[in-house]
């Protein structure tokens, strides 16, 4: 039973990592205007993962709100 649980946990972790990578890729692929819109939406919640990713991408592109 422990092996089954460990396998299920590993599969769930892999799925979460894959999903996060997809989200990050989607943010990187946004155009500047859409990226700025996303950052503006999450401006008040800057501690969230999406906000952090959006602000990091803005910094990489050297654009600001």
């Amino acid at each position: 039973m422990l092996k089954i649980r460990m396998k299920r946990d590993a599969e769930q972790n892999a799925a979460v990592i894959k999903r996060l990578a997809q989200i990050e890729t989607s943010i990187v692929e946004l155009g500047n205007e859409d990226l700025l819109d996303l950052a503006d939406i999450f401006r008040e919640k800057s501690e969230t993962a999406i906000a952090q990713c959006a602000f990091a991408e803005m910094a990489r592109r050297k654009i600001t709100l």
Side-chain angles (χ1 to χ4, degrees):
M1 185 149 142
L2 181 59
K3 287 183 181 183
I4 293 171
R5 184 180 205 181
M6 289 174 57
K7 182 180 177 185
R8 183 184 43 180
D9 287 347
E11 289 171 353
Q12 288 175 339
N13 290 341
V16 168
I17 290 169
K18 182 179 178 183
R19 178 60 114 182
L20 181 58
Q22 290 171 333
I23 291 168
E24 289 175 342
T25 299
S26 296
I27 291 172
V28 168
E29 291 177 353
L30 289 173
N32 285 349
E33 290 298 320
D34 291 332
L35 178 60
L36 290 170
D37 289 343
L38 181 66
D40 192 36
I41 291 167
F42 284 94
R43 181 186 291 195
E44 299 295 320
K45 306 232 182 209
S46 60
E47 71 281 353
T48 64
I50 292 176
Q52 291 173 356
C53 188
F55 292 125
E57 181 61 19
M58 287 174 52
R60 188 186 72 74
R61 295 183 193 185
K62 296 181 173 106
I63 59 175
T64 60
L65 286 173

